Structure formats: structure tokens, C-alpha cells
Amino acid sequence: MNKIAVVGAGISGLSMANYLEKHKIDYHIYERRKKEDLAGHGFLIPQEGIEYLTQIIEPDLLFEHGSFLKKYIQYSHTGKILAEKDLNNVFAISRHSLINLLSRNISPEKITYEKTVIPCDRQKGSLKQPDGTYIEAEIAIISDGSRSRIRKSLFKDEKMRTVRENEVVNIIQDKEIANSIENDFMKFHHDHGGLTFGILKLSHDTILWYSQFDNEKYKVNEHSSDNLKKYMLEVFEDWHPLVSSIIQKSSYKNVHLWCVYELEELNPFHTDNIVFIGDAAHPLIPFTSQGVTSALKDSHVLTKHLVEENNITEAFKKYEAERKPEIEIHIKNGRTLLNQFLLPIDQHTDNILPISYK
């Protein structure tokens, strides 16, 4: 097989590269951003995702860089425990750590940063650089995120819609706060619904926190870091002291406001010699906690069929047939979890775990 072009050096692109490395398949990664712009915040990875990750990262090395969470605990916004559930091998890790771990097996010469790649309008199935230079590759694997420019260019009739939920995500390094909490997934809910605050302990001194809010009730008018801090302090003023303490003590240098989108209908996962993986193939809303696991499974399954099949189109078809039904389940589960999030607490069902399982 000739060289493969991988577009995007996020989790899905780097996972794909690791699987290609295992099978000694030649490839090159093209990433439009700078390397330092890929840092991000963090992830929850259920057991299935860990099983795929440990095929390409040494388990001991992986587990040094995150923490296993013991319980999911649901609180009212004032701190009353509403429900709790034991977690089975759910792992929390920062995006920065995971990117670095996935990059270890990849030679620096195989990644080009600050390189935009676009579909060629003259030669079907080919990619080119903005200056018109062709990318020489037999296959193009696209992993350029939920708002994929290449997907939009190839599937011009696709419709994306905003989801009725936005997130503010941040990381705080504070030993005192980290020491005061267990390795649990803690989530505080406003009684009236549509507003939560989640806490994930990543290490002895580092906490990932995020707020999910109904963007029809809670509107952020200006997205600067100073304004986001002010907004968070105002909205969560009367919440449990742990929440207000984390918000107050956090640096907002790298805070991120995440506006969430989804496809009204999934596109085909491939066209000609171009195939999509991860969020570029199937954006999943955050409630599923399945983004990383789905990207890993996409990479594993696609590599398996590329190795086993002589015909590229047949490999792509088998990849889509294997992955699409599961993705549709996660999309359905995500919408169910979103609808529950919007409801008052007293209307929530017993299924409290904010993770989609197939």
C-alpha cells in the first residue's frame, strides 16, 4: 500500500497513526494548527476505550498520566448527595498528556504542522495545499474535527445545528483543593435543570472542571477570559463552596467556551479514496463521554480492514458497516442525556450516569 495522508493531529489522527505504525503502513500527518495549539483540556475514557488505548500505549505509562475514578456522585447545587454509582475502569486524563503519549511513537518527520489541506476540485478524491500542490497519497484519512472543513466541502448539503448546551472547560492546579477530594467524578446540578458543574481529579494537584449550561437560559455575550471568569462567578455564586472555590482560584488563561454542534444526519463515512474518522465522521455531543473511545475504535477498525482487504472501497464499506450502527446508538443516547439535563432534578430518571454505553 502506498502512503496514506492523515489530515488532523488530534486524538483521532494520532491514534490512526499509531495503528498504522503497528502495521508498518507508510503515512504522513497534516495539521493546520501549531503543535502548541492542540493542548486542550481533558477526557473521560470508559473501559472499552482503555482497552484500545493500551494496544498503542504501554499501560503503565498511560496510567501514570491520569487517574481512575471510583464513583460518579450526583449532587444538588448546594452539595446534597442525590445519587451515586460505582464506576468500572473509567479513566480521566488531560488532553495534553494524551496527545504527548500518542505522539511518542510517531517520528517528527511524519507530522507537518501549520499546513492546511483541501479537496482538489479538478481531481476527484485528491487533496491539495492552498498553493495548488497535490498531496501524494493513495488514501486520505480525515480527522479534522466535528466541524470538518473537508467533510463540508465534499458533502455540501449537510446540515449542522447548534445543540441546546454550551460548556465552559478549564483546568486548575491546586494541591489543597485536589487533596480535599477523592478520585470521584463529581457533578453538581441546579435544581431547576439546565446548569451543571463537573469535577474530575486528574492527579494529586490537577483538576479538570467544566460547566454545562442551557444556552437558551444562560447566555454568554462576550467570550474573553476575563468575561468568562466574571460570568462563572456570578452564575455559581450561591453554589457549594467547593464549586465557588475552584472557580475563584482558577487561572482563565486557557479557559475554553465550547459551542456544541451536531449533524442532523450522518454523512457517508467515505467517498472515493477519502475516509473520515472520529468527530470528522460523526460529531458526538459531550454528554456521551464517548469521543475518544469512538475515535480509537474507528482507527482500529479502519486499520484492520485496510490490512485485510485488497480493495480500498471494500475496506471503507466494511469500516462504515461496522462502526455506523454503534455511533447511531451513541447519538441517540446523547440526545436522551441532553433532554434529561434540561429538566428539573426532580424529573430526572434513575439512569444518572453521564456516559453513553452501547
Side-chain angles (χ1 to χ4, degrees):
M1 185 181 295
N2 294 327
K3 183 178 283 188
I4 291 175
V6 179
V7 180
I11 301 302
S12 54
L14 293 176
S15 300
M16 189 73 219
N18 274 267
Y19 279 111
L20 294 174
E21 283 281 349
K22 281 188 72 173
H23 291 274
K24 297 180 170 52
I25 299 172
D26 196 14
Y27 66 91
H28 193 88
I29 303 174
Y30 301 88
E31 170 56 56
R32 66 179 176 83
R33 293 170 291 180
K34 298 178 181 178
K35 185 175 182 180
E36 54 268 26
D37 291 343
L38 298 167
H41 292 92
F43 308 104
L44 269 183
I45 306 179
Q47 180 174 349
E48 187 180 28
I50 297 167
E51 291 169 2
Y52 284 96
L53 258 185
T54 50
Q55 294 179 29
I56 52 179
I57 300 174
E58 285 294 327
D60 290 345
L61 182 62
L62 174 64
F63 301 151
E64 282 175 13
H65 288 82
S67 66
F68 282 96
L69 304 177
K70 296 183 293 185
K71 289 182 178 180
Y72 171 67
I73 308 177
Q74 184 185 51
Y75 297 88
S76 70
H77 72 279
T78 57
K80 177 185 175 183
I81 294 179
L82 302 173
E84 56 185 277
K85 188 177 180 67
D86 290 336
L87 295 175
N88 180 29
N89 287 334
V90 174
F91 189 65
I93 187 170
S94 73
R95 181 182 172 88
H96 179 265
S97 293
L98 189 52
I99 289 278
N100 283 343
L101 290 171
L102 288 168
S103 298
R104 288 191 178 201
N105 295 329
I106 300 170
S107 169
E109 305 91 65
K110 290 190 174 184
I111 308 181
T112 301
Y113 294 98
E114 299 181 74
K115 184 69 70 177
T116 298
V117 175
I118 57 176
C120 178
D121 49 5
R122 292 184 180 179
Q123 192 169 325
K124 209 172 183 184
S126 295
L127 299 176
K128 64 179 182 179
Q129 300 173 37
D131 64 3
T133 306
Y134 283 94
I135 303 293
E136 293 186 13
E138 184 182 359
I139 295 171
I141 299 174
I142 311 303
S143 58
D144 59 344
S146 60
R147 302 190 74 187
S148 168
R149 300 177 183 198
I150 294 176
R151 187 191 68 225
K152 180 62 178 173
S153 175
L154 294 174
F155 301 108
K156 298 185 185 301
D157 293 332
E158 77 167 27
K159 293 181 181 178
M160 289 203 83
R161 61 188 172 206
T162 55
V163 173
R164 192 177 158 183
E165 182 253 343
N166 287 355
E167 291 196 10
V168 173
V169 190
N170 205 354
I171 284 179
I172 178 174
Q173 287 191 300
D174 189 299
K175 283 186 178 180
E176 184 180 353
I177 294 177
N179 287 335
S180 72
I181 62 176
E182 299 291 329
N183 281 11
D184 294 324
F185 177 8
M186 308 167 68
K187 197 166 185 182
F188 295 80
H189 294 250
H190 196 282
D191 293 348
H192 296 155
L195 187 64
T196 67
F197 191 91
I199 300 169
L200 303 171
K201 186 173 178 178
L202 299 178
S203 70
H204 71 286
D205 66 351
T206 305
I207 294 167
L208 167 70
W209 64 260
Y210 65 95
S211 169
Q212 297 166 320
F213 51 95
D214 176 350
N215 54 27
E216 292 186 8
K217 281 186 185 177
Y218 303 93
K219 297 185 184 295
V220 182
N221 296 320
E222 205 265 301
H223 297 178
S224 69
S225 57
D226 288 342
N227 189 66
L228 285 173
K229 181 174 183 177
K230 180 184 175 187
Y231 180 82
M232 293 294 294
L233 288 169
E234 289 173 356
V235 171
F236 292 92
E237 183 180 14
D238 60 348
W239 284 50
H240 187 272
L242 175 62
V243 173
S244 53
S245 174
I246 289 173
I247 291 171
Q248 181 65 53
K249 292 183 178 181
S250 292
S251 164
Y252 285 73
K253 180 182 177 183
N254 295 311
V255 68
H256 180 66
L257 175 64
W258 188 3
C259 299
V260 183
Y261 298 84
E262 66 173 356
L263 285 169
E264 289 191 6
E265 272 185 52
L266 289 176
N267 297 307
F269 287 7
H270 62 93
T271 179
D272 300 313
N273 65 326
I274 297 174
V275 62
F276 295 84
I277 61 172
D279 285 343
H282 45 71
L284 295 173
I285 64 176
F287 290 101
T288 64
S289 297
Q290 283 287 346
V292 171
T293 299
S294 295
L296 288 163
K297 291 186 74 172
D298 287 355
S299 302
H300 175 269
V301 171
L302 178 57
T303 304
K304 177 186 73 173
H305 290 304
L306 287 173
V307 169
E308 293 175 354
E309 295 293 330
N310 292 323
N311 183 280
I312 291 171
T313 302
E314 193 61 29
F316 287 176
K317 285 180 179 177
K318 288 188 174 181
Y319 155 68
E320 179 169 338
E322 187 169 340
R323 294 296 298 134
K324 203 167 193 177
E326 181 181 317
I327 293 301
E328 287 172 338
I329 291 172
H330 290 317
I331 290 172
K332 180 181 177 183
N333 290 347
R335 289 169 180 165
T336 299
L337 290 166
L338 169 63
N339 291 335
Q340 178 164 277
F341 155 77
L342 297 170
L343 294 173
I345 283 289
D346 60 9
Q347 294 181 34
H348 283 203
T349 66
D350 292 335
N351 182 22
I352 63 160
L353 194 61
I355 300 174
S356 168
Y357 288 101
K358 60 184 178 181

